[in-house]
Short mmCIF file of all heavy atoms in Angstrom, two decimals:
data_model
loop_
_atom_site.label_atom_id
_atom_site.label_comp_id
_atom_site.label_asym_id
_atom_site.label_seq_id
_atom_site.Cartn_x
_atom_site.Cartn_y
_atom_site.Cartn_z
N VAL A 2 146.40 177.68 100.09
CA VAL A 2 146.75 178.51 98.93
C VAL A 2 146.60 179.99 99.27
O VAL A 2 147.50 180.79 99.00
CB VAL A 2 145.88 178.14 97.70
CG1 VAL A 2 146.04 179.18 96.58
CG2 VAL A 2 146.22 176.75 97.20
N SER A 3 145.49 180.36 99.89
CA SER A 3 145.29 181.78 100.22
C SER A 3 146.28 182.25 101.29
O SER A 3 146.78 183.37 101.22
CB SER A 3 143.85 182.06 100.63
OG SER A 3 143.52 181.37 101.81
N GLY A 4 146.59 181.40 102.25
CA GLY A 4 147.58 181.76 103.26
C GLY A 4 148.97 181.95 102.66
O GLY A 4 149.66 182.92 102.95
N PHE A 5 149.37 181.01 101.81
CA PHE A 5 150.67 181.11 101.14
C PHE A 5 150.72 182.38 100.30
O PHE A 5 151.69 183.13 100.35
CB PHE A 5 150.90 179.87 100.26
CG PHE A 5 152.19 179.91 99.50
CD1 PHE A 5 153.36 179.45 100.07
CD2 PHE A 5 152.23 180.42 98.21
CE1 PHE A 5 154.56 179.50 99.38
CE2 PHE A 5 153.42 180.47 97.50
CZ PHE A 5 154.59 180.01 98.08
N SER A 6 149.67 182.60 99.52
CA SER A 6 149.61 183.79 98.66
C SER A 6 149.69 185.07 99.48
O SER A 6 150.40 186.02 99.12
CB SER A 6 148.34 183.75 97.82
OG SER A 6 148.27 184.86 96.96
N THR A 7 148.97 185.11 100.58
CA THR A 7 148.97 186.30 101.43
C THR A 7 150.38 186.63 101.91
O THR A 7 150.85 187.76 101.75
CB THR A 7 148.04 186.10 102.65
OG1 THR A 7 146.70 185.94 102.17
CG2 THR A 7 148.11 187.29 103.60
N PHE A 8 151.05 185.66 102.51
CA PHE A 8 152.33 185.93 103.16
C PHE A 8 153.51 186.02 102.20
O PHE A 8 154.46 186.76 102.47
CB PHE A 8 152.60 184.92 104.27
CG PHE A 8 151.65 185.09 105.41
CD1 PHE A 8 150.63 184.18 105.63
CD2 PHE A 8 151.74 186.19 106.25
CE1 PHE A 8 149.73 184.36 106.67
CE2 PHE A 8 150.85 186.38 107.29
CZ PHE A 8 149.85 185.46 107.50
N PHE A 9 153.45 185.31 101.09
CA PHE A 9 154.60 185.28 100.20
C PHE A 9 154.44 186.07 98.91
O PHE A 9 155.40 186.28 98.19
CB PHE A 9 154.98 183.83 99.88
CG PHE A 9 155.43 183.08 101.10
CD1 PHE A 9 154.62 182.12 101.66
CD2 PHE A 9 156.64 183.37 101.70
CE1 PHE A 9 155.01 181.43 102.80
CE2 PHE A 9 157.04 182.70 102.84
CZ PHE A 9 156.23 181.72 103.39
N VAL A 10 153.22 186.54 98.63
CA VAL A 10 153.00 187.33 97.42
C VAL A 10 152.42 188.71 97.77
O VAL A 10 153.04 189.74 97.50
CB VAL A 10 152.08 186.60 96.41
CG1 VAL A 10 151.87 187.46 95.16
CG2 VAL A 10 152.66 185.24 96.04
N GLN A 11 151.24 188.75 98.39
CA GLN A 11 150.58 190.03 98.64
C GLN A 11 151.33 190.89 99.67
O GLN A 11 151.45 192.10 99.47
CB GLN A 11 149.12 189.83 99.07
CG GLN A 11 148.16 189.64 97.93
CD GLN A 11 148.28 188.29 97.27
OE1 GLN A 11 148.43 187.28 97.94
NE2 GLN A 11 148.22 188.27 95.95
N VAL A 12 151.80 190.30 100.75
CA VAL A 12 152.50 191.11 101.76
C VAL A 12 153.73 191.79 101.18
O VAL A 12 153.91 193.00 101.36
CB VAL A 12 152.82 190.27 103.03
CG1 VAL A 12 153.80 191.00 103.93
CG2 VAL A 12 151.54 189.95 103.79
N PRO A 13 154.60 191.09 100.43
CA PRO A 13 155.73 191.79 99.82
C PRO A 13 155.32 192.88 98.82
O PRO A 13 155.97 193.94 98.75
CB PRO A 13 156.52 190.68 99.12
CG PRO A 13 156.15 189.43 99.85
CD PRO A 13 154.71 189.63 100.26
N LEU A 14 154.26 192.64 98.07
CA LEU A 14 153.80 193.66 97.12
C LEU A 14 153.26 194.88 97.87
O LEU A 14 153.52 196.02 97.47
CB LEU A 14 152.74 193.08 96.18
CG LEU A 14 153.27 192.05 95.17
CD1 LEU A 14 152.11 191.37 94.45
CD2 LEU A 14 154.22 192.70 94.18
N HIS A 15 152.53 194.65 98.95
CA HIS A 15 152.05 195.77 99.76
C HIS A 15 153.23 196.53 100.37
O HIS A 15 153.17 197.76 100.50
CB HIS A 15 151.11 195.29 100.86
CG HIS A 15 149.70 195.15 100.41
ND1 HIS A 15 148.92 196.23 100.08
CD2 HIS A 15 148.93 194.05 100.22
CE1 HIS A 15 147.72 195.80 99.71
NE2 HIS A 15 147.70 194.47 99.78
N ALA A 16 154.28 195.83 100.76
CA ALA A 16 155.46 196.50 101.31
C ALA A 16 156.07 197.44 100.28
O ALA A 16 156.49 198.56 100.62
CB ALA A 16 156.48 195.47 101.78
N ARG A 17 156.08 197.03 99.02
CA ARG A 17 156.59 197.91 97.96
C ARG A 17 155.68 199.12 97.77
O ARG A 17 156.16 200.24 97.57
CB ARG A 17 156.69 197.15 96.64
CG ARG A 17 157.87 196.23 96.57
CD ARG A 17 158.04 195.75 95.14
NE ARG A 17 158.34 194.33 95.15
CZ ARG A 17 158.18 193.52 94.14
NH1 ARG A 17 157.70 193.96 92.99
NH2 ARG A 17 158.50 192.25 94.23
N LEU A 18 154.37 198.89 97.82
CA LEU A 18 153.43 199.99 97.64
C LEU A 18 153.43 200.95 98.82
O LEU A 18 153.07 202.12 98.67
CB LEU A 18 152.02 199.45 97.39
CG LEU A 18 151.82 198.78 96.04
CD1 LEU A 18 150.47 198.06 95.98
CD2 LEU A 18 151.93 199.80 94.90
N ALA A 19 153.82 200.48 99.99
CA ALA A 19 153.89 201.35 101.17
C ALA A 19 154.91 202.46 100.97
O ALA A 19 154.77 203.55 101.54
CB ALA A 19 154.23 200.55 102.41
N VAL A 20 155.90 202.22 100.14
CA VAL A 20 156.92 203.22 99.84
C VAL A 20 156.36 204.30 98.92
O VAL A 20 156.73 205.46 99.01
CB VAL A 20 158.17 202.56 99.20
CG1 VAL A 20 159.20 203.58 98.78
CG2 VAL A 20 158.76 201.55 100.18
N GLY A 21 155.46 203.88 98.04
CA GLY A 21 154.86 204.82 97.10
C GLY A 21 154.21 204.09 95.95
O GLY A 21 154.49 202.91 95.71
N PHE A 22 153.37 204.79 95.24
CA PHE A 22 152.65 204.19 94.13
C PHE A 22 153.60 203.74 93.04
O PHE A 22 154.52 204.45 92.65
CB PHE A 22 151.64 205.18 93.53
CG PHE A 22 150.88 204.61 92.37
CD1 PHE A 22 149.81 203.77 92.59
CD2 PHE A 22 151.26 204.91 91.07
CE1 PHE A 22 149.11 203.24 91.52
CE2 PHE A 22 150.57 204.39 89.99
CZ PHE A 22 149.49 203.54 90.21
N ASP A 23 153.33 202.53 92.55
CA ASP A 23 154.06 201.99 91.41
C ASP A 23 153.06 201.18 90.60
O ASP A 23 152.50 200.20 91.11
CB ASP A 23 155.23 201.11 91.87
CG ASP A 23 155.95 200.49 90.70
OD1 ASP A 23 156.63 201.22 89.95
OD2 ASP A 23 155.81 199.25 90.52
N ALA A 24 152.81 201.61 89.38
CA ALA A 24 151.76 200.99 88.56
C ALA A 24 152.03 199.50 88.33
O ALA A 24 151.10 198.69 88.37
CB ALA A 24 151.64 201.72 87.22
N GLU A 25 153.26 199.14 88.10
CA GLU A 25 153.58 197.72 87.85
C GLU A 25 153.37 196.87 89.09
O GLU A 25 152.85 195.75 89.01
CB GLU A 25 155.02 197.59 87.34
CG GLU A 25 155.43 196.17 87.02
CD GLU A 25 154.59 195.51 85.94
OE1 GLU A 25 153.90 196.19 85.16
OE2 GLU A 25 154.60 194.25 85.89
N THR A 26 153.74 197.39 90.25
CA THR A 26 153.52 196.64 91.49
C THR A 26 152.02 196.49 91.76
O THR A 26 151.57 195.41 92.15
CB THR A 26 154.21 197.35 92.68
OG1 THR A 26 155.61 197.44 92.38
CG2 THR A 26 154.01 196.59 93.97
N LEU A 27 151.26 197.54 91.51
CA LEU A 27 149.81 197.46 91.69
C LEU A 27 149.21 196.44 90.72
O LEU A 27 148.35 195.65 91.10
CB LEU A 27 149.15 198.82 91.51
CG LEU A 27 147.63 198.84 91.66
CD1 LEU A 27 147.19 198.34 93.03
CD2 LEU A 27 147.10 200.25 91.40
N ARG A 28 149.68 196.44 89.50
CA ARG A 28 149.20 195.47 88.50
C ARG A 28 149.47 194.05 88.98
O ARG A 28 148.60 193.18 88.93
CB ARG A 28 149.87 195.72 87.15
CG ARG A 28 149.32 194.85 86.02
CD ARG A 28 150.13 195.01 84.74
NE ARG A 28 151.42 194.38 84.83
CZ ARG A 28 151.64 193.06 84.76
NH1 ARG A 28 150.63 192.24 84.60
NH2 ARG A 28 152.86 192.56 84.84
N LYS A 29 150.67 193.81 89.50
CA LYS A 29 151.01 192.48 90.03
C LYS A 29 150.14 192.12 91.22
O LYS A 29 149.73 190.97 91.37
CB LYS A 29 152.50 192.42 90.42
CG LYS A 29 153.43 192.41 89.25
CD LYS A 29 154.88 192.41 89.71
CE LYS A 29 155.83 192.47 88.53
NZ LYS A 29 157.24 192.53 88.97
N LEU A 30 149.87 193.10 92.07
CA LEU A 30 149.02 192.85 93.23
C LEU A 30 147.62 192.44 92.80
O LEU A 30 147.06 191.45 93.29
CB LEU A 30 148.96 194.10 94.12
CG LEU A 30 148.07 193.99 95.36
CD1 LEU A 30 148.65 192.98 96.34
CD2 LEU A 30 147.92 195.35 96.02
N VAL A 31 147.04 193.20 91.88
CA VAL A 31 145.68 192.91 91.42
C VAL A 31 145.63 191.54 90.75
O VAL A 31 144.74 190.73 91.04
CB VAL A 31 145.17 194.02 90.46
CG1 VAL A 31 143.86 193.62 89.80
CG2 VAL A 31 145.01 195.33 91.22
N LEU A 32 146.59 191.25 89.88
CA LEU A 32 146.57 189.97 89.17
C LEU A 32 146.80 188.80 90.13
O LEU A 32 146.09 187.79 90.07
CB LEU A 32 147.63 189.96 88.07
CG LEU A 32 147.34 190.82 86.85
CD1 LEU A 32 148.52 190.82 85.89
CD2 LEU A 32 146.07 190.35 86.15
N SER A 33 147.77 188.92 91.01
CA SER A 33 148.06 187.82 91.93
C SER A 33 146.95 187.64 92.96
O SER A 33 146.72 186.52 93.45
CB SER A 33 149.41 188.04 92.64
OG SER A 33 149.36 189.18 93.48
N ASN A 34 146.26 188.72 93.28
CA ASN A 34 145.18 188.61 94.26
C ASN A 34 143.99 187.82 93.72
O ASN A 34 143.17 187.33 94.49
CB ASN A 34 144.73 189.99 94.74
CG ASN A 34 143.95 189.91 96.02
OD1 ASN A 34 144.44 189.39 97.02
ND2 ASN A 34 142.73 190.40 96.00
N TRP A 35 143.89 187.67 92.40
CA TRP A 35 142.82 186.83 91.85
C TRP A 35 142.97 185.39 92.33
O TRP A 35 141.97 184.69 92.53
CB TRP A 35 142.80 186.89 90.32
CG TRP A 35 142.06 188.09 89.81
CD1 TRP A 35 142.57 189.15 89.12
CD2 TRP A 35 140.65 188.35 89.95
NE1 TRP A 35 141.58 190.05 88.83
CE2 TRP A 35 140.39 189.58 89.33
CE3 TRP A 35 139.59 187.67 90.55
CZ2 TRP A 35 139.11 190.14 89.29
CZ3 TRP A 35 138.33 188.23 90.52
CH2 TRP A 35 138.10 189.45 89.89
N TRP A 36 144.20 184.91 92.50
CA TRP A 36 144.42 183.55 93.01
C TRP A 36 143.85 183.42 94.43
O TRP A 36 143.20 182.43 94.77
CB TRP A 36 145.91 183.19 93.02
CG TRP A 36 146.43 182.98 91.64
CD1 TRP A 36 147.15 183.86 90.89
CD2 TRP A 36 146.26 181.81 90.85
NE1 TRP A 36 147.42 183.32 89.66
CE2 TRP A 36 146.89 182.05 89.62
CE3 TRP A 36 145.63 180.59 91.05
CZ2 TRP A 36 146.92 181.11 88.60
CZ3 TRP A 36 145.66 179.64 90.04
CH2 TRP A 36 146.29 179.91 88.82
N ARG A 37 144.10 184.42 95.25
CA ARG A 37 143.61 184.41 96.62
C ARG A 37 142.09 184.54 96.65
O ARG A 37 141.41 183.85 97.41
CB ARG A 37 144.28 185.55 97.39
CG ARG A 37 144.10 185.48 98.87
CD ARG A 37 145.05 186.39 99.59
NE ARG A 37 144.94 187.78 99.21
CZ ARG A 37 145.34 188.79 99.96
NH1 ARG A 37 145.88 188.56 101.15
NH2 ARG A 37 145.23 190.03 99.55
N THR A 38 141.55 185.40 95.79
CA THR A 38 140.10 185.57 95.70
C THR A 38 139.44 184.26 95.27
O THR A 38 138.44 183.84 95.85
CB THR A 38 139.77 186.70 94.70
OG1 THR A 38 140.43 187.90 95.14
CG2 THR A 38 138.28 186.95 94.59
N ALA A 39 140.00 183.62 94.26
CA ALA A 39 139.46 182.34 93.78
C ALA A 39 139.57 181.27 94.86
O ALA A 39 138.62 180.51 95.09
CB ALA A 39 140.19 181.90 92.52
N ALA A 40 140.70 181.22 95.54
CA ALA A 40 140.91 180.20 96.57
C ALA A 40 139.89 180.35 97.70
O ALA A 40 139.28 179.36 98.13
CB ALA A 40 142.33 180.27 97.12
N TRP A 41 139.69 181.58 98.17
CA TRP A 41 138.72 181.77 99.26
C TRP A 41 137.31 181.46 98.80
O TRP A 41 136.50 180.93 99.55
CB TRP A 41 138.80 183.19 99.82
CG TRP A 41 139.27 183.25 101.24
CD1 TRP A 41 138.85 182.47 102.29
CD2 TRP A 41 140.24 184.14 101.77
NE1 TRP A 41 139.52 182.83 103.44
CE2 TRP A 41 140.37 183.85 103.15
CE3 TRP A 41 141.01 185.15 101.22
CZ2 TRP A 41 141.24 184.53 103.98
CZ3 TRP A 41 141.87 185.83 102.05
CH2 TRP A 41 141.99 185.53 103.41
#
């Protein structure tokens, strides 16, 4: 679960944030990262 989440959710969100700050993308990153945090 954490591996899937990392490569298919967090990495794409980080790629968007690398371009510049976006509050909605950051919100999605924080919320989706709870799944990875819980899984680990």
Side-chain angles (χ1 to χ4, degrees):
V2 169
S3 64
F5 178 86
S6 181
T7 297
F8 292 107
F9 296 107
V10 180
Q11 277 74 41
V12 167
L14 291 170
H15 275 291
R17 283 191 222 160
L18 289 170
V20 175
F22 179 80
D23 177 70
E25 182 60 19
T26 301
L27 179 59
R28 187 187 72 76
K29 288 178 183 177
L30 178 67
V31 171
L32 289 175
S33 65
N34 198 57
W35 277 114
W36 288 100
R37 193 165 58 158
T38 303
W41 245 314

